[in-house]
């Protein structure tokens, strides 16, 4: 291990990283594991596979996935607009993007529920013209998740687009590529890894989100109950072990999904020659 | 040298903190549930005045309010409550059993099973009662939207559920019929909020639903605060007796040295002043003779089922109805 680095400060920074990961991430998470160890394997399986918990997993993952996909698509367009075009009021709009980061999520949830509910401004419009009910259905959950996860996509894609070397575009153009070709073959592959990061951040945030969803979901068992609500419900019934069992399962599934996305990202970057 | 200074500073700080702790006024933390906020605001003022007059000591009372279950859990997890004024005996039972902070016989230590005032669940409907809701069986009719929180997470919602069950079991004569009745009732619930205040918001601010099932005192409070005639209170012929118990947390008061204060505080709830304030804030006092006659006259006659009589106690209620895969879960199963 006597390896020397050109950059100084390897030991203090690594030390700090390990201490941080230990204190802030691993110790709290390991108590989660220990707490759920008080359950027998059969009890654990019984809790996790109960119909209501399974239904909540389906609701949480499907809505988070859909919301992350939609947020990625529109987040990309927003980032593109900010980087590529200049227009009046751009700075203000740019600052607005970060607002969902700062807003307490409960406030977001209450506001969204108020405007999307059947008597609300937008809710009324949607129900009268399209017959779509948003608030108090899974659709409402997706809306809330898009709202809170959009900034993750915009903020990860934006800097990459900004740094994008325009000489590549010019080269493609001189070689006779059409605008569509330049976008699909030159620009998009370069931005794709960043978009994947944004997508996974949006997805992870969506799976764990409680505050904003709870007000708009309606929380009907089997239909619009999310996993974090099941955890709270267990806690209210003093079933600490059951709550941690669900939390642990949620954590493991999320970790595996994020790992897959990370590997996918690595593969994409290798293929496009960025690594 | 450096180390020495550090120790000195630490000692000095510790000393400072210690002296502050001994010099400061004694304080009580009252952990309560959501709708009692207004009652205890006024009650605490009266108690502080009374205690000062009797002993000359100035004390402070801190209040904590929230969903009843959440509050009980906070105490189990270490919130140092000197006294509890909660919504359901089951919650204090759990604090006693799980955290062993007070003896299991806590309920026998104060008059009237430690229940200084009671309440019940009533209906809040839109002005003029357009859907003609009078009794519990009007709630299961087609086209009636009922707002009530999730009984698994809200104390008030448990009383709502039990009131509906007790009504149906008495009227239709069997447990199967009662189960069918609550299933139909919850089919009419479009939003299952997690707490009583959330449900009130859904009904009043979002204007969703035809009827809100809520605490009697919350209903009167809503009427008082809205004031402009947006809603009416409908008191059904039967409902549930909501017994809202109080208790001293022995381990905490012994640690804080506040036992005498905590005992006086809870006893003051039973005093003429306490009973009068309870009635003023729409709780039904255990000694109505102390309350203003005008306040008592506001409470309509209502037959209130007892949880112990109809359901055989809270442990049974929890096991049969609200635990996982209990009846409440079954009525939602697709």
């Amino acid at each position: 291990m006597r390896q020397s680095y050109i950059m100084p400060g390897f030991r203090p920074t690594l030390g700090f990283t390990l201490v941080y990961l230990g204190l802030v991430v691993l110790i709290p998470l390991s108590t989660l594991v220990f707490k759920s160890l008080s359950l027998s394997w059969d009890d654990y399986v019984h809790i996790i596979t109960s119909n209501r918990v399974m239904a909540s997993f389906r609701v949480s993952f499907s809505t988070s996935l859909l919301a992350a996909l939609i947020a990625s698509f529109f987040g990309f367009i927003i980032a593109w607009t900010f980087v590529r075009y200049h227009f009046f009021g751009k700075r203000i709009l740019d600052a607005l993007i970060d607002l969902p980061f700062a807003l307490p999520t409960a406030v977001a949830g209450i506001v969204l529920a108020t405007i999307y509910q059947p008597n609300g401004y937008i809710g009324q419009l949607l129900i009268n013209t399209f017959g779509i009910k948003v608030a108090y259905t899974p659709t409402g959950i997706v809306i809330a998740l898009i709202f809170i996860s959009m900034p993750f996509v915009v903020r990860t894609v934006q800097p990459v687009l900004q740094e994008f070397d325009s000489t590549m575009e010019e080269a493609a153009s001189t070689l006779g590529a059409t605008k569509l070709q330049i976008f699909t073959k030159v620009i998009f592959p370069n931005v794709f890894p960043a978009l994947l990061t944004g997508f996974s951040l949006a997805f992870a945030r969506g799976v764990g989100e409680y505050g904003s969803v709870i007000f708009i979901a309606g929380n009907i068992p089997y239909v619009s109950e999310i996993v974090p609500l099941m955890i709270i419900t267990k806690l209210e019934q003093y079933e600490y072990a059951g709550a941690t069992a669900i939390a642990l399962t949620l954590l493991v599934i999320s970790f595996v999904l994020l790992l897959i996305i990370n590997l996918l990202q690595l593969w994409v970057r290798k293929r496009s020659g960025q690594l | 040298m450096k180390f020495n200074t550090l120790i000195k500073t630490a000692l000095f700080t510790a000393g400072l903190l210690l002296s502050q702790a001994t010099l400061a006024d004694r304080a009580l933390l009252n952990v309560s549930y959501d709708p009692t906020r207004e009652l205890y605001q006024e009650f605490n003022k009266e108690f502080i005045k009374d205690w000062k007059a009797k002993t000359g000591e100035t004390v402070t009372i801190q209040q904590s309010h929230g969903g009843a279950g959440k509050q009980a859990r906070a105490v189990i997890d270490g919130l140092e409550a000197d006294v509890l004024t909660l919504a359901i005996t089951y919650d204090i039972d759990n604090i006693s059993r799980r955290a062993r902070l007070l003896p299991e016989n806590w309920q026998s230590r104060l008059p009237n099973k430690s229940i200084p005032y009671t309440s019940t669940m009533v209906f809040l409907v839109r002005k003029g009662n357009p859907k003609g809701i009078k009794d519990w069986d009007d709630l299961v009719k087609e086209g009636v939207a009922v707002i009530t929180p999730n009984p698994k997470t809200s104390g008030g919602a448990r009383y709502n559920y039990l009131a509906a069950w007790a009504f149906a079991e008495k009227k239709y004569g069997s447990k199967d019929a009662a189960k069918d009745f609550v299933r139909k009732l919850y089919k009419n619930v479009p939003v299952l909020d997690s707490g009583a205040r959330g449900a009130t918001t859904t009904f009043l601010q979002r204007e969703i639903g035809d009827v809100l099932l809520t605490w009697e005192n919350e209903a009167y409070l809503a009427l008082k605060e809205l004031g402009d005639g947006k809603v009416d209170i409908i008191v059904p012929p039967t409902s549930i007796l909501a017994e809202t118990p109080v208790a001293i947390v022995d381990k905490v008061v012994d640690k804080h040295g506040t036992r005498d204060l905590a005992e006086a505080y809870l006893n003051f709830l039973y005093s003429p002043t306490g009973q009068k304030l309870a009635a003023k804030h729409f709780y039904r006092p255990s000694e109505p003779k102390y309350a203003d006659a005008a306040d008592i006259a506001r409470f309509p006659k209502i037959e209130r089922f007892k949880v112990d009589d109809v359901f055989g106690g809270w442990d049974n209620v929890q096991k049969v109805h609200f635990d996982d895969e209990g009846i409440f879960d079954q009525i939602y199963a697709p």
Side-chain angles (χ1 to χ4, degrees):
Chain A
M1 264 308 276
R2 293 270 335 143
Q3 208 177 339
S4 65
Y5 291 87
I6 299 166
M7 288 294 284
F10 169 67
R11 270 183 224 180
T13 49
L14 179 71
F16 175 78
T17 306
L18 291 181
V19 167
Y20 166 80
L21 282 177
L23 283 181
V24 181
V25 181
L26 283 179
I27 291 180
L29 291 189
S30 58
T31 49
L32 205 63
V33 177
F34 280 122
K35 193 91 192 176
S36 51
L37 280 181
S38 63
L39 287 170
S40 73
W41 176 249
D42 285 347
D43 286 342
Y44 173 79
V45 171
H46 185 73
I47 289 169
I48 295 303
T49 56
S50 82
N51 288 331
R52 205 158 152 208
V53 174
M54 292 290 271
S56 74
F57 272 110
R58 269 195 296 279
V59 170
S60 266
F61 283 111
S62 60
T63 53
S64 304
L65 196 70
L66 193 60
L69 282 172
I70 297 173
S72 298
F73 180 75
F74 289 105
F76 183 84
I77 295 178
I78 292 171
W80 177 268
T81 313
F82 282 151
V83 172
R84 290 286 165 136
Y85 308 107
H86 294 278
F87 51 89
F88 180 72
K90 185 169 128 175
R91 293 272 158 238
I92 296 170
L93 286 183
D94 201 12
L96 274 179
I97 291 289
D98 288 330
L99 225 49
F101 278 143
L103 200 66
T105 51
V107 176
I110 291 169
V111 170
L112 288 172
T114 308
I115 58 172
Y116 280 102
Q117 56 140 328
N119 313 322
Y121 297 125
I122 301 179
Q124 223 166 12
L125 204 74
L126 287 173
I127 228 165
N128 292 338
T129 47
F130 304 106
I132 303 172
K133 203 173 158 236
V134 176
Y136 315 122
T137 67
T139 319
I141 304 180
V142 175
I143 298 273
L145 293 182
I146 293 173
F147 177 83
I148 53 142
S149 59
M150 185 77 86
F152 288 98
V153 179
V154 178
R155 289 299 179 238
T156 44
V157 171
Q158 208 175 3
V160 178
L161 273 177
Q162 218 132 37
E163 299 291 300
F164 185 71
D165 189 358
S166 60
T167 53
M168 282 214 275
E169 246 173 296
E170 285 158 16
S173 181
T174 54
L175 292 172
T178 63
K179 283 197 165 144
L180 185 71
Q181 276 175 323
I182 295 177
F183 179 77
T184 52
K185 306 253 165 164
V186 181
I187 299 174
F188 190 73
N190 277 289
V191 181
F192 189 56
L195 192 60
L196 263 181
T197 307
F199 171 83
S200 57
L201 284 175
F203 176 73
R205 176 67 199 267
V207 169
E209 177 60 22
Y210 180 74
S212 64
V213 173
I214 223 64
F215 292 98
I216 198 172
N219 309 324
I220 304 295
Y222 297 98
V223 179
S224 54
E225 271 187 328
I226 53 169
V227 179
L229 177 67
M230 291 309 297
I231 296 173
I232 299 279
T233 308
K234 293 268 180 208
L235 284 179
E236 296 286 341
Q237 293 170 268
Y238 307 107
E239 287 174 29
Y240 289 70
T244 44
I246 300 176
L248 188 68
T249 313
L250 182 67
L251 209 65
V252 169
I253 298 177
S254 301
F255 181 73
V256 169
L257 286 175
L258 290 177
L259 200 67
I260 292 173
I261 296 172
N262 270 342
L263 289 175
L264 188 69
Q265 201 179 11
L266 199 72
W267 179 73
V268 168
R269 292 176 76 171
K270 267 198 178 136
R271 221 180 62 128
S272 66
Q274 287 182 36
L275 272 183
Chain B
M1 182 60 199
K2 232 181 180 177
F3 186 64
N4 231 331
T5 340
L6 200 73
I7 288 195
K8 269 185 198 155
T9 324
L11 279 177
F12 180 71
T13 319
L16 203 70
L17 286 174
L18 216 67
S19 64
Q20 266 194 341
T22 46
L23 282 176
D25 294 339
R26 286 202 297 168
L28 280 186
L29 174 61
N30 175 5
V31 169
S32 193
Y33 61 110
D34 253 336
T36 57
R37 214 174 293 257
E38 292 76 14
L39 164 65
Y40 281 105
Q41 254 169 25
E42 197 172 348
F43 177 81
N44 290 347
K45 268 191 213 130
E46 290 295 322
F47 173 73
I48 290 167
K49 227 195 293 171
D50 183 75
W51 185 256
K52 175 100 182 162
K54 274 184 193 147
T55 65
E57 185 190 4
T58 309
V59 293
T60 49
I61 313 284
Q62 287 159 345
Q63 282 294 137
S64 166
H65 295 275
K70 203 181 292 159
Q71 294 292 81
R73 206 152 32 73
V75 173
I76 291 174
D77 292 341
L79 177 66
E80 295 196 339
D82 298 274
V83 296
L84 304 166
T85 54
L86 291 177
I88 293 185
T89 42
Y90 181 73
D91 283 326
I92 301 186
D93 276 340
N94 263 296
I95 294 172
S96 157
R97 276 179 220 158
R98 280 163 209 273
R100 313 223 158 272
L101 295 172
L102 64 166
E104 293 214 16
N105 68 350
W106 61 270
Q107 230 181 333
S108 62
R109 298 191 298 181
L110 283 166
N112 194 28
K113 287 195 300 173
S114 293
I115 298 160
Y117 48 80
T118 62
S119 189
T120 190
M121 310 312 286
V122 299
F123 305 160
L124 205 61
V125 298
R126 307 279 170 213
K127 188 74 196 165
N129 196 4
K131 296 268 166 121
I133 294 157
K134 292 262 178 302
D135 202 350
W136 292 93
D137 45 2
D138 294 322
L139 302 181
V140 298
K141 284 184 183 155
E142 213 161 298
V144 174
V146 183
I147 304 297
T148 173
N150 188 341
K152 296 187 107 169
T153 52
S154 154
R158 272 178 228 189
Y159 281 123
N160 288 339
Y161 171 99
L162 296 175
W165 181 284
F167 162 85
E169 196 179 327
K170 193 180 173 199
K171 179 160 184 187
Y172 304 110
S174 81
K175 288 199 180 342
D176 283 340
K179 185 174 170 183
D180 208 45
F181 183 82
V182 291
R183 176 181 291 141
K184 275 194 211 138
L185 198 163
Y186 281 89
K187 276 249 154 61
N188 280 350
V189 178
V191 186
L192 217 48
D193 283 294
S194 60
R197 278 276 150 103
T200 309
T201 310
T202 300
F203 184 75
L204 293 178
Q205 255 86 53
R206 310 239 163 88
E207 300 189 349
I208 291 178
D210 303 304
V211 51
L212 172 74
L213 313 185
T214 187
W215 296 95
E216 182 171 53
N217 59 298
E218 280 273 275
Y220 279 105
L221 204 66
L223 208 62
K224 208 166 88 180
E225 273 173 16
L226 287 171
D228 56 351
K230 277 169 85 179
V231 288
D232 286 333
I233 295 175
I234 302 288
V235 178
T238 66
S239 190
I240 194 100
L241 176 67
E243 296 178 304
T244 49
V246 301
I248 291 168
V249 186
D250 293 66
K251 284 231 172 109
V252 177
V253 293
D254 288 344
K255 185 176 159 194
H256 292 176
T258 47
R259 184 178 279 275
D260 57 328
L261 189 62
E263 270 167 5
Y265 182 77
L266 292 188
N267 280 323
F268 196 60
L269 278 173
Y270 291 89
S271 74
T273 316
Q275 293 290 298
K276 196 174 165 152
L277 284 178
K280 184 183 167 194
H281 289 275
F282 309 105
Y283 287 90
R284 298 187 178 213
S286 59
E287 296 286 351
K289 61 172 186 258
Y290 292 135
D292 282 348
D295 286 343
I296 294 295
R298 296 183 302 191
F299 299 122
K301 274 229 169 337
I302 180 169
E303 186 194 346
R304 295 189 288 171
F305 297 112
K306 280 188 174 157
V307 172
D308 286 349
D309 295 349
V310 182
F311 300 96
W314 278 106
D315 281 331
N316 220 13
V317 167
Q318 190 64 30
K319 205 169 77 207
V320 175
H321 292 272
F322 301 130
D323 268 353
D324 285 346
E325 286 157 59
I327 291 176
F328 184 73
D329 278 359
Q330 291 165 27
I331 64 169
Y332 264 107

